Amino acid sequence: MSTRALRRLRGKQRGQEALDLGELTLSDSPEEQAEGEEEQLDAANVSHPCDRKESNRKAKKNKAQKNVSNIYELICDVDNEAEKISPNEEAEKPDGNKTSGMEKNDNTDIDKPEKQQETSTKSLSGDRVKKKKKKKKTKMTSEDEQKASPDDNIDLLVENLEQPNGLSLQNVDCGGSDRRSVLHVEHRNLNPETELKRYFGARAVLGDQRPRQRNRQFHRSTWMTSPKDSWPRFSRPGISMTLLHSKDGIQYFTFEHSRDYQQVQFKFLDAVESMDPNNIVALLQLNPYHIDSLLQLSDVCRIQEDQEMARDLIERALYSFECAFHPLFSLTSGTSRLDYLRPENRAFYLALYKHMMFLEKRGCPRTALEYCKLILSLDTDSDPLCMLLLIDFLMLRSREYQSLLQLYEDWEEHRNLSQLPNFAFSTALCQYHLSQQEDMDPEESDKQRRKADQMLQNALIMFPGVLMPLLDLCTVQPDATVTSHAFFGPKSQIGQLPALAELTALYVGRTYNVWREAAVMLWLEESVKEVLHRVDAKDHLVEDCQNKRKQRYQSAPRNIHRHVLLSEIKEATSSLPLEVTTQPVMGFDPLPPLESVISYTRPERQHVGASNESTLSLFFRSLLPNFNLQVGPRQEDDVEVARAGQELNQEVNRLMVAMRDMLANIRFQEPPREDNPYRDEEEWD
């Protein structure tokens, strides 16, 4: 909001403000202006004819600047103009040479040396007056700004509008005052080029390419993805976002599908049931920005090891989503929520997750961490994709050690993060890396190291089943005392509950690479030996952790199963329960919630004659999908009925001819027999 708009809101008009000393210094009285004009004319008569035009032009410019009523225009330019003013221009200033101008009018017979001396003294006096005047101007304008700041602080007004009730993500959800610093999302970190430039430099990332000029068809600027020239022309596919309600500073949004988009969605479901990817490709040719088709075809390309095409399809889906955002929906505020129970919102979660995994495999863990925090901020309470099982790994990869420890401290009280194997081991590893920093004080380093040892020992006592699979994937042969001990031996693997075995396999299969360092392995070996001593000494913590493992981890929630399916880690998927592995899993909606909020339903498909068909009719239908032996009464006109019957007879006749030719060409060839009189007759008995 500008100053003029604020003036209008107060009911004031231009020129009604009270004058102060700061404004009086910007313009001179009419008498001073008249004297200044006379001085300019005298200086023009004395100066060289070729300099007369230039001095007149500069005098007009200075006069125009003096009549400016906006006090802020001259504050920034006064320093720059002071450096560029020449002695001739200073001689033309009406403020600094009033006395010298009067001397010129009284003494017209003065020689040239005296004129030069007067001009020099005149310039010195002008400089002194100018400096005093400049200091006075800056002092008065600073006082004016301080007076106007309570009323004209536009930034404060905007912040109050953007953050209603002064509530943020930290205060609403968990009460942690430092949570914004841990889970705060920044727009610049959503771009993988930011991280690649930090690793390799801008020249290596961008090369000598010219700044990319977007095609005119892409008219909207986006944060998550950048549209490519190879993409089809964008047209809104029929997705929109609606604000459901706001509560305690949190806005709840949802995506909605138009009627046309619903019809395309029904066709997509038919294409999925056909088990033919070509049908999905044909659907995308007609609807190039259909979200579920892009997600499903991306999985097909990834299975076929076409990673570039798979990533491009996910980026196209994200671009379509971002173009449908509500004006109040924000990726970085942490106050926007999307309910995973609604099927329209699930595709956005899955697109973000798949894009995040592509970034992590591409070597951009910091950017992937930003998307992980974004997914977690969309629904921090239920966490439908269970991002808490992944965020620690991404923080380790991006070396955000302090952030991980801060997250653990803030969330431990209400989420019990210590009961998850990934946080128990990752926080200990973070503490160890912090103790190994070179710029740390030796005493502080020893303190951090002892704390890391204690945390790792507690993690090993609570989750002993992690050690042996971790050493196996790290190709490390454990000591005989460790393998033969009952606490870490095969008994610890067999006695694990299914939910705990699933969490353990997930963590080991994902993070074993960060434990492969030689120094980390030596640290792990020392902690394992200390744990064995504590177990033999019958430490009370060992028994307490054993009782906790028996009481908890009876069954894993559905979001953990969904996370394991999306992770595609072999060690974890093999430990899934039968109720998950026996049901079909769709890539566009893996393991949907049981209590989904359905906004529209798919019409039932009529399978004519599918219940009472014989084996022969099923065989004919496998060859000719349009074949139907049990044709019921039809409601069409007689002409259509006759045409359909004629086509059916032609298809049956063609089928019979094909079968007759196939049977006629069948030849039964007997195996070759060798007449060997010396063969033993009982050889084949």
Side-chain angles (χ1 to χ4, degrees):
M1 187 179 295
S2 62
T3 307
R4 182 171 58 183
L6 291 174
R7 190 190 306 115
R8 290 179 179 177
L9 289 176
R10 298 191 189 102
K12 297 181 180 180
Q13 296 181 358
R14 190 181 185 91
Q16 291 184 356
E17 294 83 356
L19 296 176
D20 54 3
L21 297 177
E23 295 176 348
L24 293 176
T25 58
L26 293 176
S27 61
D28 299 329
S29 61
E31 291 80 8
E32 292 177 348
Q33 293 180 359
E35 291 179 0
E37 292 176 358
E38 292 178 356
E39 291 172 2
Q40 291 174 4
L41 291 175
D42 295 337
N45 294 329
V46 174
S47 61
H48 194 271
C50 62
D51 296 337
R52 191 175 301 167
K53 296 181 181 180
E54 182 179 358
S55 62
N56 291 335
R57 183 166 57 253
K58 292 181 180 180
K60 292 180 181 179
K61 180 179 179 181
N62 294 332
K63 183 177 179 181
Q65 290 180 351
K66 284 179 179 239
N67 294 329
V68 176
S69 61
N70 188 0
I71 63 174
Y72 296 103
E73 288 186 8
L74 298 178
I75 294 176
C76 300
D77 297 333
V78 64
D79 297 332
N80 297 331
E81 292 177 359
E83 297 176 359
K84 298 179 181 179
I85 291 177
S86 61
N88 293 332
E89 295 180 50
E90 292 178 355
E92 297 170 4
K93 295 288 183 180
D95 296 330
N97 15 3
K98 294 178 182 177
T99 57
S100 61
M102 294 172 64
E103 291 175 0
K104 283 185 180 182
N105 294 329
D106 295 336
N107 303 321
T108 56
D109 299 328
I110 298 177
D111 297 336
K112 290 184 179 180
E114 296 178 355
K115 291 181 181 179
Q116 293 177 358
Q117 184 177 3
E118 287 178 1
T119 55
S120 62
T121 56
K122 183 170 53 179
S123 62
L124 292 176
S125 62
D127 290 338
R128 292 174 185 174
V129 176
K130 182 175 179 62
K131 289 180 180 179
K132 292 180 180 180
K133 188 175 180 181
K134 183 167 60 175
K135 291 180 181 179
K136 189 174 182 181
K137 285 181 183 179
T138 55
K139 181 178 179 180
M140 298 307 296
T141 52
S142 62
E143 293 177 358
D144 294 339
E145 291 176 356
Q146 291 177 359
K147 292 180 181 179
S149 60
D151 298 331
D152 300 340
N153 194 347
I154 309 302
D155 296 336
L156 183 60
L157 295 175
V158 173
E159 290 179 0
N160 293 333
L161 291 175
E162 290 181 351
Q163 299 180 357
N165 301 329
L167 296 176
S168 60
L169 172 65
Q170 298 79 8
N171 301 327
V172 172
D173 292 337
C174 305
S177 59
D178 296 333
R179 184 175 167 187
R180 180 179 177 83
S181 61
V182 178
L183 293 182
H184 178 60
V185 179
E186 296 183 5
H187 279 137
R188 62 185 182 88
N189 291 331
L190 294 175
N191 188 1
E193 290 186 358
T194 304
E195 185 174 2
L196 293 176
K197 289 176 184 177
R198 187 166 61 248
Y199 293 154
F200 309 107
R203 185 182 299 273
V205 175
L206 301 178
D208 296 333
Q209 61 182 0
R210 298 179 179 177
R212 181 179 54 82
Q213 296 180 356
R214 293 183 178 178
N215 198 343
R216 293 181 180 178
Q217 59 189 4
F218 303 114
H219 58 279
R220 180 165 181 169
S221 177
T222 54
W223 290 108
M224 295 186 293
T225 57
S226 299
K228 301 178 181 179
D229 296 336
S230 59
W231 289 0
R233 181 179 180 84
F234 179 76
S235 60
R236 296 191 177 276
I239 298 180
S240 60
M241 180 180 280
T242 304
L243 176 63
L244 297 177
H245 61 277
S246 299
K247 183 179 180 182
D248 298 333
I250 304 296
Q251 292 86 25
Y252 295 87
F253 299 88
T254 183
F255 286 100
E256 291 183 350
H257 295 170
S258 63
R259 290 186 176 274
D260 295 337
Y261 192 90
Q262 293 177 13
Q263 298 299 323
V264 178
Q265 186 73 11
F266 298 152
K267 295 179 182 179
F268 165 73
L269 297 177
D270 295 339
V272 171
E273 291 180 356
S274 68
M275 306 297 291
D276 188 2
N278 295 324
N279 295 333
I280 302 178
V281 175
L283 184 63
L284 273 178
Q285 290 178 353
L286 299 177
N287 306 275
Y289 288 92
H290 181 254
I291 303 298
D292 288 344
S293 299
L294 293 171
L295 296 179
Q296 190 72 23
L297 190 60
S298 175
D299 290 340
V300 174
C301 295
R302 185 171 49 82
I303 293 174
Q304 297 177 353
E305 298 183 356
D306 190 357
Q307 302 293 332
E308 187 67 26
M309 187 63 184
R311 184 171 64 248
D312 186 78
L313 293 173
I314 295 298
E315 292 179 358
R316 196 195 303 181
L318 285 177
Y319 179 78
S320 181
F321 270 125
E322 195 166 0
C323 290
F325 280 174
H326 193 274
L328 296 179
F329 184 81
S330 175
L331 297 172
T332 59
S333 65
T335 59
S336 301
R337 299 288 185 268
L338 285 174
D339 191 1
Y340 194 81
L341 298 179
R342 298 179 178 271
E344 296 86 352
N345 298 336
R346 296 174 197 164
F348 185 59
Y349 278 90
L350 295 174
L352 289 175
Y353 183 89
K354 294 176 185 296
H355 186 58
M356 174 192 64
M357 297 309 298
F358 279 124
L359 290 172
E360 192 272 330
K361 294 178 181 178
R362 188 183 174 185
C364 300
R366 183 64 185 84
T367 311
L369 174 61
E370 209 71 10
Y371 278 94
C372 182
K373 294 189 292 185
L374 173 59
I375 298 173
L376 186 58
S377 67
L378 293 177
D379 194 348
T380 55
D381 296 331
S382 60
D383 191 12
L385 298 186
C386 211
M387 303 310 296
L388 288 177
L389 298 178
L390 176 64
I391 191 171
D392 62 303
F393 169 67
L394 295 176
M395 284 185 173
L396 284 173
R397 285 285 311 276
S398 56
R399 299 182 180 181
E400 297 287 336
Y401 304 133
Q402 198 63 42
S403 300
L404 178 57
L405 294 178
Q406 187 67 37
L407 176 65
Y408 178 77
E409 293 177 2
D410 293 344
W411 287 49
E412 168 61 21
E413 182 178 356
H414 65 282
R415 298 297 287 268
N416 293 327
L417 297 183
S418 60
Q419 305 305 311
L420 295 175
N422 59 312
F423 268 94
F425 282 90
S426 295
T427 51
L429 186 59
C430 268
Q431 197 71 44
Y432 171 77
H433 284 302
L434 288 177
S435 66
Q436 300 300 312
Q437 292 181 354
E438 297 179 355
D439 56 348
M440 184 174 293
D441 185 68
E443 296 181 359
E444 183 67 21
S445 178
D446 294 339
K447 181 181 178 181
Q448 297 285 347
R449 176 63 184 271
R450 288 193 298 269
K451 187 176 180 180
D453 294 342
Q454 187 66 29
M455 295 174 66
L456 182 58
Q457 292 173 19
N458 294 339
L460 289 171
I461 292 174
M462 184 64 191
F463 306 104
V466 174
L467 179 63
M468 299 307 294
L470 180 62
L471 295 178
D472 187 17
L473 289 178
C474 293
T475 63
V476 174
Q477 183 66 29
D479 191 71
T481 57
V482 178
T483 56
S484 60
H485 201 281
F487 191 74
F488 289 118
K491 184 178 179 180
S492 63
Q493 304 293 325
I494 299 174
Q496 283 192 116
L497 294 175
L500 183 57
E502 185 177 350
L503 292 174
T504 300
L506 179 67
Y507 175 72
V508 172
R510 173 176 285 157
T511 61
Y512 69 93
N513 282 320
V514 299
W515 290 87
R516 277 186 166 180
E517 298 180 14
V520 175
M521 276 296 164
L522 291 176
W523 171 62
L524 178 62
E525 182 182 1
E526 296 174 0
S527 299
V528 169
K529 292 180 180 179
E530 185 63 28
V531 168
L532 290 179
H533 290 313
R534 295 176 62 179
V535 172
D536 295 337
K538 295 183 179 180
D539 192 343
H540 68 279
L541 183 61
V542 177
E543 185 177 358
D544 293 342
C545 292
Q546 185 177 0
N547 294 331
K548 290 180 181 179
R549 289 196 301 270
K550 291 180 180 180
Q551 296 175 2
R552 304 168 184 176
Y553 312 107
Q554 295 293 332
S555 61
R558 197 172 180 85
N559 59 342
I560 292 182
H561 298 327
R562 187 182 300 115
H563 180 87
V564 171
L565 289 173
L566 289 174
S567 65
E568 297 182 353
I569 297 176
K570 295 183 296 182
E571 294 82 3
T573 53
S574 60
S575 60
L576 287 171
L578 292 177
E579 59 267 17
V580 177
T581 57
T582 53
Q583 60 179 325
V585 178
M586 299 297 178
F588 63 93
D589 190 7
L591 214 63
L594 299 178
E595 57 280 0
S596 299
V597 180
I598 305 298
S599 58
Y600 63 93
T601 57
R602 179 187 179 190
E604 297 181 358
R605 300 180 62 189
Q606 297 181 358
H607 300 280
V608 181
S611 59
N612 299 323
E613 288 184 348
S614 61
T615 305
L616 182 61
S617 61
L618 290 175
F619 172 71
F620 286 148
R621 286 194 62 190
S622 64
L623 298 177
L624 296 174
N626 296 329
F627 175 76
N628 185 17
L629 186 61
Q630 301 177 357
V631 180
R634 302 172 64 92
Q635 302 295 330
E636 291 81 2
D637 297 334
D638 297 338
V639 178
E640 295 182 358
V641 172
R643 185 183 302 109
Q646 185 178 3
E647 292 178 356
L648 178 62
N649 293 332
Q650 291 177 358
E651 290 178 357
V652 172
N653 293 333
R654 274 197 240 93
L655 177 62
M656 297 302 295
V657 171
M659 292 185 62
R660 190 182 300 111
D661 295 339
M662 180 182 66
L663 294 175
N665 294 329
I666 293 178
R667 296 290 184 271
F668 295 96
Q669 184 176 3
E670 297 182 358
R673 300 179 61 183
E674 296 181 0
D675 296 331
N676 187 4
Y678 302 101
R679 183 176 63 86
D680 190 2
E681 296 293 335
E682 298 179 358
E683 183 178 359
W684 300 98
D685 296 340

